[in-house]
Amino acid sequence: MGFVGTLTRAFMHGPNWQDAHGLDGFLELLDKRANVDGRKRGLITVSNHICVVDDPLIWGVLPLRYHFNPSNHRWSLGSYDIVFKNKAMSTFFVLGQVLPTHRLHKDPHGGPFQPTLREAVRLLSRPPFSPTSSALPVDRSFNSPDISDPFSSPNHHFTYTTDGIDTFPAPSAYATRQYSWIHIFPEGRVHQHPQKAMRYFKWGVARLILEPDVCPDIVPMWVEGNDEIMHENRAAPRWLPRAGKRCGVWFGENVGGESEGNVFHELRERWRRLVEDERRTRKPDQELEVGVLSEELKYGPEAMRLREECTMQVRGAVLRVRKERGLPDEDPKEGLVETWRAEGGKREGQMDDGSLIKDT
């Protein structure tokens, strides 16, 4: 983390220019979280996604001392088929606090209920994650009868699997990772739009807000300029980041926490009541662990409605930072899944609406 952070800061403040807005408030929040034992909740940062190397470039705004404290630095989600291709890359990105994420359109192990999302929910919570000290039910929620929950088996207490074959460290098993910080790009892909519009947000971000034991702090962000460093239409050599670019990162106000009247607090209360109602239908020995959901809590109409509302609220928070940056209001239809059919039905590349899409 320190090595990459040092290179990033040197690159963004040497051959490029990187402006930070609202950084003092964000650093104050990080400083309050420096004592792991004193943390009272997790932290989620969420932003638009305009470049394949947004992470780590956006963290070039952080002073160097923050890069050398991994227990108070971000965790992120990385595409399994891109950044976990082999042992060397997996090791690098695991050490870089990146969680392996499958894409549902490429892999049946993907989707909002994959094991990595369970791990992310736990990183935003505080152990223990077991409902009781007795033997726990096996979680077979991701279509593999051979996968057991890592915290149910003494042989896999500090690891988990994403597909029944691989093995990854389970960072949430360590006390130094309680109430961690997770950064997420809910668009799920790089989106370079001529009017700086965002794609619809995916529902995984809602799980990170609704399911932890305490409502996380939530800091929306807006990012600009990184797309000029690694534009999707760049000429050869494509692997070489461009220099001489001006970039910016805008930090919004913390919109999370447990304060009354907070929209995410209200959504979590509705989720809590839904969980309590569902729990009454189960036997005492069928209690679910943190991050594990029943079929009703996955696909029930109220559960899906809550995740949709939560996701739209998160997107709205990012749009408010976008507006504070000085950009005009976005067409409300931009946030709807149906709107993106206008892109032309392609997964990646130049879209019919003029935007550029890239899996990351």
Side-chain angles (χ1 to χ4, degrees), residues 17 39 65 103 126 140 172 194 199 265 271 300:
W17 294 267
R39 291 179 189 165
R65 67 181 184 275
R103 296 178 181 277
R126 181 174 183 172
R140 307 190 188 282
S172 64
R199 301 187 91 231
H265 173 75
W271 175 261

Side-chain angles (χ1 to χ4, degrees), residues 41-113:
R41 56 179 50 87
L43 168 64
I44 298 173
T45 49
V46 55
S47 73
N48 57 319
H49 197 8
I50 58 172
C51 172
V52 294
V53 286
D54 274 335
D55 192 319
L57 292 188
I58 55 178
W59 308 122
V61 299
L62 299 180
L64 278 179
R65 67 181 184 275
Y66 293 92
H67 296 286
F68 288 88
N69 185 6
S71 65
N72 197 27
H73 209 301
R74 69 96 189 96
W75 288 82
S76 65
L77 308 179
S79 180
Y80 193 99
D81 61 300
I82 296 176
V83 300
F84 293 88
K85 286 183 175 180
N86 53 54
K87 183 68 173 179
M89 292 183 67
S90 292
T91 300
F92 178 82
F93 283 99
V94 165
L95 291 174
Q97 299 190 171
V98 178
L99 301 173
T101 310
H102 293 272
R103 296 178 181 277
L104 191 57
H105 69 272
K106 292 184 176 182
D107 191 325
H109 298 294
F113 308 114

